[in-house]
Amino acid sequence: MYVGDLLDASHLGIRLLTSDRDALGRTLRWTFTTDLPDPSRYIAGGELVITGLVWRRTPDDSEVFIRSVAESGATALAAGGGVARTHSARSRRRMRATRSAAPRCSRHGVVR
């Protein structure tokens, strides 16, 4: 499966927030779900890394997480508050964190 195939599955509600269009042809080998602050030791390369952002307390946490994902060879990163989003303060913070991570993903070459 390719990143573009995942985005074409409109029922999943996934949007490409950053990256160049060439990234759509990257191969997804596996998925890996984590909320570890540094999941690098569990990433072998080619993964779609999925996170609920539980590890994020400050913007600097995003830099550490995204760098570890990118340097481990992951293909793409999916982040957010989940399907059953509420309008709680925590959900709003997670959505802001998701949007603010886009430049960091670009800097590290991770599709998000």
Side-chain angles (χ1 to χ4, degrees), residues 63-76:
E63 180 67 28
V64 170
F65 181 82
I66 293 166
R67 184 184 315 116
S68 74
V69 168
E71 290 176 355
S72 298
T75 296

Side-chain angles (χ1 to χ4, degrees), residues 32-107:
F32 174 65
T33 305
T34 185
D35 278 311
L36 295 172
D38 177 357
S40 59
R41 70 185 210 182
Y42 300 104
I43 300 172
E47 292 90 343
L48 165 62
V49 176
I50 303 168
T51 182
L53 303 170
V54 173
W55 47 265
R56 189 180 192 279
R57 300 288 181 253
T58 70
D60 290 339
D61 294 339
S62 295
E63 180 67 28
V64 170
F65 181 82
I66 293 166
R67 184 184 315 116
S68 74
V69 168
E71 290 176 355
S72 298
T75 296
L77 173 62
V83 176
R85 289 192 184 108
T86 65
H87 295 287
S88 70
R90 183 173 189 159
S91 292
R92 288 190 299 274
R93 282 192 306 270
R94 282 185 180 172
M95 292 311 297
R96 282 193 302 273
T98 300
R99 286 189 294 274
S100 72
R104 290 177 174 89
C105 289
S106 290
R107 186 170 53 250

